[in-house]
Amino acid sequence: MEEAMLPQIMASGATNILIIADERMVSMSLSDGSRLPSRLGRDYALASPPIADGLFHPKIVLQLGRKGGRLFVGSANVTAAGLAGNAEAVIEIECGDESSPEGDVVRAAWSYLQALAMDRSRSATDAINWTKDRAPWLRNKGEASAVTLDDGTVMAFLTNGGAAGIGQQFLDLVGDAPVEKLVVVSPYWDEELSALKFLQQRLHAGNISILLDVENVGFPIGAARPPEVEFRRLPRRLTGRFAHAKIFIASTKEHDHVLVGSANCTAAALGTLGQSKSNAEACIYRRLPAGRASEALGLEESFAQDPLDPEELIPSGETPPIPLEELKSRRPGFFELDGDILTWTVPRGIPDRGFIRLLDGDQDVIDSIAYEVGSQSSSLTFRITGERRSAVSFATVEAGPFISNRAYVTQRSVLKNRRREIATGSVAKAIEIFDANSDFELWMHQAADELARADLTEITDHSSSTPRASSSARTETREQETRFLSYEEFMKTRVPDERSEHRQNTLSGKHSDRIRQFMNDLVGQSKAPLEEDASEGDDSWLDLGDENEDAHTEVGTQRAEANNGKDKDGSCPEVRVDAREFEKMVALYVDRLAAGREPLGAPDVLRVRFWLMMLLHKARTAYLPNGLEATTEERGWPRMAFRVISSFFCGKHPPVRRLMIAREYTSMPEDFLECWATVLWTLDAIEGVLPPSPKADRFLPFVRRVRADVAKVLGLTAVELGSDIVVNLRQAMDRTLGAKLFVDVGVLSHASQTAIMTGTKTESS
């Protein structure tokens, strides 16, 4: 995977990569002495479906974007041999976001994979939800039945997941028309040829051609076979390559019925053993005009030659069976590290007491954790300390003589930061604006809105798509509701935590996080962003097609490249701030916020902080003598900042009540705390900067009343107010903005903390 496929996938621009693989086979690959993966759990996630009696054997690649998808179903494993060495058969299906038969097939495959991976781990659920939120066309139900394409041919996505296996579904699609010839390509067979006999008996094929690699004959030559069977050589161009393809062609007078995918000609693969004992497999069925299949698959050469003499065929040696039961007995379970919290999904049969050894990529022990499994424990959590926490890659479980197979450790926070779409078009220009500027400008709100739109957050996306919903849409809505809590519900369930290290950030992996970084940079609070893969590759694998040029953003980019002309002391004496334009834009923001009824998310919280920071940076100071005045007039920055805060937190139905937070957040997210700290700091700054006057005396009681409302709604504890994030941000704003506004920063810091706990402003402030 990491050597053959991952570089190509990442070069294409994909950042949300999920592999679904059998837990036992993953365990074997990590413990058999092979080279260990270095990017597993960091650049891509892995999920394993529940273990069944049969093998988990599908070979599917599904690429999804906002405007379409591409599906590959075949015989090729995600290995160097499967992708480049073996003779494989793979079918490709592509679709756009509009309604189409191909889209139905792609959605059927998506539904199948989603059911396998959803809720298997939080990282797998992250990957599934991230995709669903950005590809709304997937919500239409995919057809599991056959669909007719525009050219009149028929296609279907088949699995062993239902009551009927792939073999029976294939027979049903062939129908009652007499089968003149059955062609089978398969590297593996039942010892007694039960699957082949099943097909022959049901299809009544007059001729059965088995295509073989004569240098590696996997067919059991000595087994009793139907008299209709003949052997033919695979095309010579495939000589020297292991024939791993799985192909079935049932030819009638009018049609070729083709089955291509992961299913060998075995009873377990075709699903004739019953659902509980059959393999998990996936195939594509195609109904083509008679004679087309051999041409499309390049098999004409095989039928142009004489059949092979069975007496001259030398069967290959038996492949040793995979020790599935032994692998199952040493299952380590699943490990996921999110910040400093390690979650272990405990497998059945694990010893009740023992130790978890956490290893780095070189297999050196980083930490050892004693564990004790309770009778009802399906998962355990541990807090991991130490500087090398981020280096944890693998784990083993040890208890006396028991030593588990090696397990991989998923770094969930790293995956979330990796999961960001490649910025193009107007989004790239918007990001450039925040990267290129060292101060706020009013026109930057256009770029901020562009990034918020590009993020297509889960909440707003669903709210805009659920009116006039069908039953399936209502199901999606109920599912969405279970993923989020209102702010009030969140505050009742969250755990106040004073730690700042590894606190979760709801903007992680989103374009809007660039705005947050920009604002933190301005006050000296920014953390260095995670390194991103700077390599550029061909991103034409799937044209997302959703970026439109924005005239306002183009103008903004041109301005960003211009010299602002600051003096050596940092002041901007010639820069004039258009108070009238600021008043107009703030009023527009407030009106839109008040008129909205949809749920709000993290970008809306960020937008509150954005406008407050914008106004504070454009306030009149010695550094900006032509900035916004500190007055109670409509065009004074205190009045405009007051409007931003009150419009979000106050009123009969304040917008903050519509704020939704994902259930996964157990403590106040970092970006939310930064906004709340900015709101409180701004309210204190308004009081500290207004000169005494009758108008100020009439205005300040409203400021104190809003502070009380904010305190009540936020419900922050002393622990949260004393967290490093709040304290450090306030101190940074004191040093930068406070110094310029001539505010008594010491009084400010103490006063706001007292106010939020009591809900009133102290007299000392």
Side-chain angles (χ1 to χ4, degrees):
M1 167 64 185
E2 293 194 1
E3 295 178 355
M5 194 172 185
L6 183 65
Q8 299 298 322
I9 294 176
M10 295 180 66
S12 74
T15 59
N16 183 33
I17 305 169
L18 174 64
I19 305 295
I20 303 175
D22 190 295
E23 178 185 350
R24 296 162 297 185
M25 302 304 293
V26 172
S27 178
M28 184 173 72
S29 68
L30 294 177
S31 303
D32 63 359
S34 303
R35 181 179 177 181
L36 293 173
S38 61
R39 305 314 305 162
L40 175 56
R42 286 171 165 78
D43 284 333
Y44 61 99
L46 191 151
S48 296
I51 290 178
D53 290 338
L55 291 174
F56 180 76
H57 201 240
K59 292 91 168 62
I60 302 171
V61 175
L62 184 58
Q63 298 174 320
L64 299 168
R66 292 183 186 270
K67 295 297 181 180
R70 183 177 292 154
L71 170 67
F72 300 86
V73 179
S75 60
N77 288 298
V78 186
T79 62
L83 297 174
N86 298 338
E88 308 278 5
V90 178
I91 289 182
E92 175 188 357
I93 302 106
E94 189 169 354
C95 73
D97 62 345
E98 71 282 356
S99 178
S100 68
E102 293 86 352
D104 287 340
V105 175
V106 171
R107 282 187 287 269
W110 160 252
S111 297
Y112 173 70
L113 295 175
Q114 178 185 341
L116 290 173
M118 192 66 174
D119 297 327
R120 297 302 296 165
S121 71
R122 290 188 300 170
S123 294
T125 302
D126 289 343
I128 295 294
N129 287 337
W130 196 89
T131 302
K132 290 165 60 177
D133 296 332
R134 286 156 182 80
W137 59 274
L138 287 173
R139 296 182 196 132
N140 298 326
K141 187 177 180 180
E143 292 291 336
S145 57
V147 297
T148 302
L149 308 184
D150 291 342
D151 62 0
T153 63
V154 176
M155 179 185 294
F157 176 74
L158 308 182
T159 72
N160 281 338
I166 288 175
Q168 183 59 53
Q169 294 176 71
F170 180 60
L171 294 174
D172 293 341
L173 289 164
V174 173
D176 297 330
V179 174
E180 299 174 353
K181 178 189 289 187
L182 173 65
V183 178
V184 181
V185 181
S186 176
Y188 304 109
W189 305 77
D190 297 310
E191 290 185 5
E192 302 298 325
L193 298 178
S194 58
L196 181 62
K197 294 174 181 177
F198 167 77
L199 293 175
Q200 191 277 332
Q201 293 168 1
R202 298 291 299 275
L203 293 173
H204 305 289
N207 175 269
I208 301 176
S209 293
I210 308 298
L211 275 56
L212 299 175
D213 176 0
V214 296
E215 297 179 357
N216 191 2
V217 177
F219 189 90
I221 300 297
R225 56 185 180 271
E228 297 85 359
V229 169
E230 65 176 14
F231 298 103
R232 291 184 177 274
R233 181 193 299 269
L234 280 167
R236 294 183 183 276
R237 69 179 184 281
L238 302 179
T239 300
R241 305 174 71 182
F242 176 61
H244 192 249
K246 301 95 164 55
I247 304 171
F248 300 81
I249 306 173
S251 297
T252 66
K253 185 177 180 179
E254 295 184 353
H255 296 106
D256 284 344
H257 301 267
V258 185
L259 188 69
V260 173
S262 65
N264 290 293
C265 192
T266 66
L270 294 181
T272 60
L273 298 178
Q275 188 172 358
S276 62
K277 294 184 178 180
S278 296
N279 295 344
E281 307 276 3
C283 294
I284 291 292
Y285 165 82
R286 295 285 276 120
R287 182 187 300 161
L288 304 174
R292 286 277 303 278
S294 293
E295 177 186 352
L297 292 167
L299 301 178
E300 304 102 315
E301 177 187 330
S302 298
F303 300 104
Q305 301 174 356
D306 293 334
L308 298 169
D309 184 350
E311 300 298 328
E312 297 180 1
L313 297 175
I314 302 175
S316 306
E318 291 188 7
T319 303
I322 300 172
L324 295 177
E325 288 304 315
E326 180 182 348
L327 291 169
K328 183 178 179 180
S329 68
R330 294 190 175 276
R331 294 163 59 201
F334 301 105
F335 292 87
E336 188 173 65
L337 187 58
D338 193 0
D340 60 355
I341 300 299
L342 178 71
T343 301
W344 177 33
T345 302
V346 184
R348 292 181 179 179
I350 205 78
D352 291 341
R353 295 178 180 84
F355 292 89
I356 299 170
R357 313 292 187 194
L358 299 180
L359 314 171
D360 63 14
D362 296 324
Q363 303 308 291
D364 294 330
V365 177
I366 293 178
D367 201 356
S368 294
I369 308 168
Y371 77 85
E372 182 172 347
V373 180
S375 58
Q376 302 298 322
S377 297
S378 60
S379 66
L380 299 175
T381 59
F382 310 89
R383 177 162 287 175
I384 309 301
T385 59
E387 296 180 356
R388 298 197 63 207
R389 179 171 52 241
S390 61
V392 173
S393 298
F394 303 100
T396 59
V397 180
E398 301 178 14
F402 174 85
I403 301 178
S404 76
N405 289 326
R406 191 178 290 114
Y408 63 93
V409 178
T410 298
Q411 293 272 359
R412 188 186 182 208
S413 56
V414 176
L415 275 174
K416 291 177 70 175
N417 279 293
R418 280 277 304 133
R419 196 175 287 120
R420 176 183 291 152
E421 293 174 274
I422 299 298
T424 59
S426 56
V427 175
K429 288 183 169 72
I431 290 174
E432 181 184 355
I433 286 174
F434 288 100
D435 288 344
N437 274 272
S438 59
D439 200 357
F440 272 104
E441 297 297 341
L442 181 58
W443 43 263
M444 292 170 71
H445 78 88
Q446 295 279 358
D449 289 343
E450 182 68 36
L451 298 186
R453 285 194 299 269
D455 283 331
L456 192 63
T457 62
E458 303 93 323
I459 296 294
T460 56
D461 185 48
H462 269 274
S463 66
S464 63
S465 62
T466 51
R468 296 189 299 274
S470 63
S471 59
S472 60
R474 288 194 295 271
T475 300
E476 284 282 351
T477 303
R478 289 194 296 270
E479 176 188 341
Q480 190 72 13
E481 289 172 351
T482 65
R483 289 167 48 194
F484 290 87
L485 298 171
S486 68
Y487 184 81
E488 184 177 0
E489 292 170 334
F490 165 75
M491 292 301 290
K492 292 178 180 178
T493 59
R494 65 85 169 80
V495 178
D497 194 340
E498 75 281 0
R499 295 174 307 115
S500 297
E501 186 180 13
H502 297 295
R503 186 183 287 270
Q504 291 173 298
N505 166 26
T506 64
L507 297 172
S508 179
K510 294 183 170 64
H511 295 303
S512 296
D513 202 32
R514 301 294 182 96
I515 307 172
R516 173 178 167 265
Q517 293 172 14
F518 168 75
M519 292 191 292
N520 286 342
D521 279 336
L522 292 186
V523 295
Q525 270 296 100
S526 183
K527 296 179 180 178
L530 293 176
E531 291 186 7
E532 297 185 8
D533 188 355
S535 61
E536 295 183 1
D538 179 15
D539 59 359
S540 62
W541 66 277
L542 186 61
D543 182 12
L544 300 179
D546 59 313
E547 303 294 356
N548 299 315
E549 298 302 318
D550 190 305
H552 293 288
T553 309
E554 180 67 36
V555 172
T557 303
Q558 295 172 359
R559 292 180 178 178
E561 295 171 350
N563 189 337
N564 288 331
K566 291 185 179 180
D567 287 350
K568 293 182 179 181
D569 62 357
S571 63
C572 306
E574 300 301 323
V575 175
R576 292 189 176 276
V577 178
D578 189 341
R580 180 181 304 174
E581 191 66 20
F582 267 83
E583 180 194 11
K584 175 182 175 182
M585 297 312 301
V586 168
L588 181 62
Y589 163 73
V590 169
D591 290 344
R592 288 176 176 173
L593 187 63
R597 292 294 180 267
E598 70 282 356
L600 303 181
D604 300 286
V605 174
L606 183 71
R607 193 174 280 112
V608 172
R609 187 184 177 204
F610 175 85
W611 278 109
L612 294 179
M613 291 286 284
M614 171 87 77
L615 293 168
L616 290 168
H617 275 268
K618 291 305 175 184
R620 179 173 296 180
T621 66
Y623 298 88
L624 191 63
N626 296 312
L628 300 172
E629 291 187 80
T631 72
T632 59
E633 302 297 332
E634 292 295 334
R635 295 176 186 172
W637 76 259
R639 188 59 172 261
M640 286 189 279
F642 175 81
R643 291 195 67 191
V644 170
I645 296 172
S646 60
S647 65
F648 190 79
F649 289 97
C650 303
K652 188 175 182 180
H653 301 289
V656 69
R657 300 290 186 188
R658 295 186 269 127
L659 182 58
M660 306 294 287
I661 304 178
R663 286 180 176 271
E664 67 180 82
Y665 297 108
T666 57
S667 61
M668 187 69 70
E670 181 176 11
D671 53 310
F672 279 43
L673 271 181
E674 289 171 344
C675 179
W676 308 153
T678 301
V679 168
L680 298 174
W681 194 96
T682 303
L683 289 169
D684 292 333
I686 291 173
E687 284 202 75
V689 78
L690 285 176
S693 70
K695 288 186 177 181
D697 291 341
R698 290 192 295 271
F699 176 66
L700 288 177
F702 291 101
V703 175
R704 295 173 185 130
R705 186 180 304 172
V706 166
R707 180 187 288 104
D709 289 345
V710 170
K712 183 178 180 180
V713 170
L714 290 182
L716 300 179
T717 66
V719 170
E720 288 164 321
L721 286 165
S723 65
D724 290 343
I725 289 177
V726 173
V727 172
N728 292 341
L729 180 59
R730 289 186 61 86
Q731 290 176 349
M733 294 180 72
D734 289 346
R735 290 191 304 269
T736 54
L737 295 170
K740 293 179 180 180
L741 294 171
F742 306 105
V743 175
D744 183 347
V745 296
V747 172
L748 267 178
S749 297
H750 172 73
S752 66
Q753 293 188 36
T754 303
I756 195 65
M757 286 186 285
T758 62
T760 58
K761 187 68 174 175
T762 61
E763 291 299 321
S764 61
S765 63

